[in-house]
Amino acid sequence: MIRLENIHKTYTGGTSLHVLKGINLNIEDGEFLSIMGASGSGKSTLLNILGLLDNYDEGAYYLDDVLIKNLSEIQAADYRNKLIGFVFQSFNLINYKNALENVALPLYYQGIGRRQRNQIALEYLDKMGMKDWATHLPSEMSGGQKQRVAIARALATKPRVILADEPTGALDSKTSVEVMNILQRVNREDGITVIMVTHAPEMAAFTDRTIHIKDGIIDSENDNNKF
Amino acid sequence: MLDILYDIFSSLGKNKLRTFLTGFSMAWGVFMLILLLGCGNGLKNAVTLNFEDRAKNILTMWPGRTTKPYEGLKTGRYIKLDDEAIAIIREMPEVGIIAPVRQVYNTTKTYGAEYVQSGLNGVTPERFKLMKMDIVEGRTLNSMDMAQKRKVILMHKKNARNLFKDQEAIGRYVNINIVPYKVVGIFTDSNDSQSPNDFIPLSTLEMIYPTAYGYSSLTIEINGINSIAACDKFEKELRERLGEELQFDSEDTSAVWIWNSMSDYMQTMNIFNGISMFLWLIGLGTLIAGVVGISNIMLVTVKERTKEFGIRKSLGAKPGNIIRLILSESLAITASFGYFGLLAGILVIEGLAKLFPTPPPDAAENSPSAFVNPEISIWIALGAMAILIIAGLAAAYVPAKKAVEVKPIEALHYE
């Protein structure tokens, strides 16, 4: 599903910062992968590159066997819309739109009509147990509820990959487990590849495989299912 | 389309005060533009109205006395404007109708015991083609009156009232120096005189008051002249031709007095066109201030919403989507509030038009007005609308461009 070959990334601006120093990684279709590492190790940068939110300087990135390099913003937006769903630590819901509108937004950018959009959005909210909250604004919800809406939004376009950047970072431990269970279900039942960045080992334990990044390279990896 | 509208309203509704303030500056700009232009038209209409009772392309000349010697002839000679002069004038290609007038001063007009003392103008029917006349009753003098030397009279309303009081004047006879004239028409104008001149056919007047003098005045229609310079040139050439034939210095303006209503009219119109331009400038300036205000607020708005645009981008919004969103928001503000400004402006102008209506032509007692019937043409209103839309798009373009240029990852991390 995803193949990274010798990915390098340097941030220029003031002092240049060589963040990724040759990442090689294969991620199978339907895999649940976690990326761990200390802050500043480059794990978020890697996720951003995977999500086409940032570009890389060197190497090659194949997403669904397509080389992703020097994409125009229009092409990138198209791939993000069709292949990738994002789940963020801070949820990133649009605060003046209600839950239903937030979930329907990526469908709007696919050009799907209003009625069908709302129907699909409601279906995914229902899946997340948030149907009764459809007309509520994000400010009226708890963190866990917001994250469920965000996951519903990520799933609405039936993406191939879900990219989750510290999805439980802002949640208490009980809610975190709930969210992890949802992500696990999404991975197992819908067969969607899930890649999650986290610094909490107990969250990484929910995934199939964990890679550890240290100073811009993959330091080690372990298969969680072996235990 | 509906979705874009919904998107606009939810985000505008989120910032009601800001939306209102932005919109208000726009509405105010348009309101001022419309008001200024409407009032400018009010001034212009007043002037046009004051010019209304005369054709705009006429020139009137009166005979005078020379004040400069000419080829050995002394000063103080009377210049005679007669049929010979008319023949010379008619040779000029720009000249159309010529209407000569012969005046008899101070006649006594009686009806029964009533009398009025005033002059008589002997005119040809052409007079009525050149200078608009407001006929209250009856008719003007026609070519049959002229050909048959009929003793008919076109009376000023004031004289008719003095002579006939409340009786019907048309068809009655008024005696002027023992000769009876039949009243065929009553006219009115803004003449201030208590006993203005009345009109009889020129041929009749020449028969009853034979004289060796020339005409009292000649009114000439000039065609195909449309600038002050051309006007002046025509006047100069007219003086030269007449001077050669009637033997006076063409520089001697007292020999023949000329009043050129055309250059008068044009000068006044030039002034008012200047005022109009000035008002446009002020109005547009106010409008531009509104646009700059909107642009400024859009910049702030876009910056505030950087993160939102980042989220939208991560969900698959293309640059075009973002630009369309911002442009249509700005357009919604400018167009809707601008429309209110337009409406308010037109309402005020209509109100003023009620207060300063076009006076009836019979308003002889009224002093000439300086402000009449302000109005806004549909084209100006449509033009203002077009400016609004362009302004709305222009105000948002730079902010929209900026929003798109931010990389999605930077936008997402913007706090």
Side-chain angles (χ1 to χ4, degrees):
Chain A
M1 184 66 208
I2 284 175
R3 199 161 82 245
L4 295 178
E5 289 168 4
N6 195 30
I7 294 288
H8 282 261
K9 173 73 182 176
T10 304
Y11 284 117
T12 51
T15 55
S16 69
L17 199 62
H18 199 174
V19 185
L20 297 181
K21 301 167 181 169
I23 300 281
N24 289 291
L25 182 63
N26 263 310
I27 302 168
E28 298 300 321
D29 200 2
E31 204 176 343
F32 193 178
L33 178 91
S34 54
I35 303 171
M36 291 193 70
S39 47
S41 61
K43 59 185 191 305
S44 284
T45 304
L46 180 59
L47 197 75
N48 291 336
I49 289 171
L50 289 176
L52 312 182
L53 294 172
D54 209 346
N55 47 10
Y56 56 95
D57 302 327
E58 233 180 87
Y61 165 25
Y62 295 91
L63 173 61
D64 206 13
D65 289 327
V66 180
L67 176 64
I68 303 295
K69 198 157 199 174
N70 301 327
L71 292 185
S72 73
E73 186 49 40
I74 293 174
Q75 285 172 305
D78 207 39
Y79 281 122
R80 281 200 291 269
N81 187 239
K82 295 205 170 99
L83 293 178
I84 302 168
F86 290 94
V87 177
F88 301 96
Q89 177 178 3
S90 52
F91 324 122
N92 281 350
L93 299 175
I94 292 175
N95 55 18
Y96 61 87
K97 288 183 179 290
N98 66 29
L100 187 73
E101 290 163 351
N102 263 290
V103 176
L105 194 54
L107 299 168
Y108 165 64
Y109 289 123
Q110 283 192 344
I112 294 174
R114 175 175 211 78
R115 192 192 297 191
Q116 202 190 346
R117 211 157 73 208
N118 286 348
Q119 192 186 328
I120 295 171
L122 201 62
E123 186 185 314
Y124 278 92
L125 279 176
D126 193 21
K127 253 187 178 173
M128 294 297 129
M130 291 295 292
K131 192 179 181 180
D132 297 338
W133 291 78
T135 57
H136 287 250
L137 290 175
S139 54
E140 299 162 335
M141 299 178 206
S142 70
Q145 288 173 321
K146 285 185 206 171
Q147 198 58 296
R148 285 163 193 244
V149 173
I151 294 172
R153 182 176 68 181
L155 291 173
T157 55
K158 295 193 175 70
R160 301 283 301 278
V161 184
I162 293 276
L163 298 176
D165 191 358
E166 307 249 19
T168 61
L171 304 175
D172 61 52
S173 52
K174 184 169 165 282
T175 324
S176 296
V177 170
E178 283 171 23
V179 167
M180 285 316 298
N181 282 329
I182 291 171
L183 287 177
Q184 210 164 38
R185 212 175 67 212
V186 164
N187 172 251
R188 301 241 167 98
E189 291 175 10
D190 302 332
I192 296 174
T193 310
V194 179
I195 303 167
M196 177 180 80
V197 161
T198 183
H199 62 267
E202 60 272 26
M203 299 304 142
F206 282 90
T207 64
D208 300 330
R209 180 161 69 119
T210 304
I211 59 168
H212 296 268
I213 293 189
K214 198 177 173 188
D215 294 332
I217 52 165
I218 295 177
D219 185 48
S220 62
E221 67 169 83
N222 50 288
D223 192 338
N224 299 330
N225 294 336
K226 279 185 178 168
F227 299 102
Chain B
M1 188 56 213
L2 218 74
D3 293 321
I4 289 190
L5 278 179
Y6 187 78
D7 232 9
I8 293 168
F9 288 122
S10 59
S11 91
L12 290 183
K14 190 180 59 145
N15 279 297
K16 288 196 185 68
L17 182 67
R18 189 172 65 194
T19 305
F20 175 76
L21 288 176
T22 318
F24 183 77
S25 68
M26 196 66 214
W28 185 249
V30 177
F31 176 75
M32 287 308 287
L33 179 71
I34 294 295
L35 198 63
L36 286 170
L37 294 180
C39 289
N41 277 337
L43 291 174
K44 210 168 168 174
N45 284 343
V47 179
T48 316
L49 193 77
N50 295 341
F51 272 97
E52 206 181 34
D53 52 349
R54 38 199 188 236
K56 282 143 195 107
N57 56 338
I58 60 170
L59 178 150
T60 305
M61 48 205 288
W62 296 268
R65 290 172 75 180
T66 58
T67 54
K68 287 179 181 171
Y70 179 77
E71 293 184 353
L73 295 168
K74 61 180 173 135
T75 60
R77 286 176 300 117
Y78 287 96
I79 298 298
K80 198 160 120 187
L81 288 180
D82 51 12
D83 290 328
E84 188 195 347
I86 290 185
I88 296 160
I89 295 166
R90 209 180 286 287
E91 278 169 17
M92 298 183 70
E94 295 91 342
V95 172
I97 300 169
I98 299 177
V101 178
R102 213 184 271 282
Q103 267 184 35
V104 175
Y105 302 99
N106 209 20
T107 59
T108 306
K109 300 160 189 173
T110 57
Y111 177 77
E114 304 294 338
Y115 74 98
V116 174
Q117 206 125 34
S118 76
L120 274 182
N121 286 352
V123 295
T124 59
E126 277 76 26
R127 161 71 174 70
F128 304 104
K129 286 181 195 155
L130 283 187
M131 295 159 114
K132 226 184 93 188
M133 189 162 251
D134 192 36
I135 302 296
V136 182
E137 245 183 295
R139 59 171 178 87
T140 58
L141 304 178
N142 58 33
S143 47
M144 291 300 279
D145 299 330
M146 185 74 188
Q148 300 180 4
K149 302 180 184 176
R150 287 176 179 164
K151 291 190 260 322
V152 290
I153 186 166
L154 175 64
M155 267 205 147
H156 195 281
K157 198 179 170 188
K158 281 182 189 167
N159 295 343
R161 202 188 290 146
N162 286 337
L163 286 177
F164 303 107
K165 306 297 175 197
D166 295 331
Q167 303 175 64
E168 169 76 41
I170 304 284
R172 291 184 194 277
Y173 287 86
V174 55
N175 282 307
I176 306 175
N177 303 346
I178 332 171
V179 180
Y181 294 83
K182 187 181 183 184
V183 178
V184 292
I186 308 286
F187 74 98
T188 185
D189 60 17
S190 51
N191 197 329
D192 289 333
S193 160
Q194 275 310 304
S195 42
N197 288 2
D198 299 312
F199 291 87
I200 62 170
L202 179 64
S203 53
T204 313
L205 185 128
E206 280 173 341
M207 176 179 72
I208 295 173
Y209 303 94
T211 169
Y213 292 114
Y215 294 113
S216 312
S217 73
L218 296 177
T219 297
I220 301 163
E221 178 191 38
I222 358 172
N223 296 317
I225 285 183
N226 41 28
S227 75
I228 292 178
C231 244
D232 292 344
K233 188 170 161 274
F234 173 80
E235 203 179 307
K236 189 162 176 271
E237 202 187 327
L238 182 64
R239 279 184 190 284
E240 277 166 5
R241 287 201 186 194
L242 282 176
E244 209 173 299
E245 293 294 326
L246 306 179
Q247 300 192 306
F248 63 86
D249 191 334
S250 68
E251 303 277 309
D252 188 357
T253 49
S254 318
V256 171
W257 300 99
I258 293 184
W259 179 70
N260 191 337
S261 84
M262 183 135 187
S263 71
D264 228 37
Y265 176 76
M266 278 184 177
Q267 264 169 9
T268 318
M269 279 305 139
N270 275 353
I271 292 171
F272 278 89
N273 285 337
I275 292 178
S276 268
M277 275 250 292
F278 184 63
L279 293 178
W280 261 105
L281 224 67
I282 297 176
L284 282 179
T286 320
L287 203 62
I288 287 171
V291 171
V292 170
I294 291 179
S295 198
N296 203 4
I297 291 177
M298 285 313 285
L299 264 176
V300 175
T301 310
V302 162
K303 202 158 179 92
E304 255 176 28
R305 290 170 70 186
T306 303
K307 190 176 173 108
E308 179 198 326
F309 295 139
I311 297 169
R312 285 176 185 266
K313 283 176 187 172
S314 78
L315 296 178
K318 298 181 176 71
N321 294 118
I322 306 279
I323 287 183
R324 262 201 299 283
L325 181 68
I326 299 171
L327 286 190
S328 39
E329 275 193 30
S330 170
L331 201 60
I333 299 182
T334 49
S336 58
F337 281 86
Y339 183 71
F340 277 118
L342 191 73
L343 221 60
I346 288 173
L347 278 178
V348 170
I349 289 293
E350 287 298 315
L352 284 175
K354 285 252 163 18
L355 282 177
F356 301 96
T358 309
D362 187 21
E365 290 84 26
N366 291 3
S367 56
S369 16
F371 192 77
V372 166
N373 190 28
E375 60 189 352
I376 277 292
S377 78
I378 180 78
W379 296 111
I380 300 245
L382 286 179
M385 255 344 247
I387 291 174
L388 269 184
I389 289 169
I390 293 168
L393 293 177
Y397 185 73
V398 174
K401 203 80 193 145
K402 279 208 152 151
V404 163
E405 276 161 9
V406 182
K407 272 164 68 176
I409 187 65
E410 287 165 16
L412 271 174
H413 290 151
Y414 184 89
E415 291 301 334

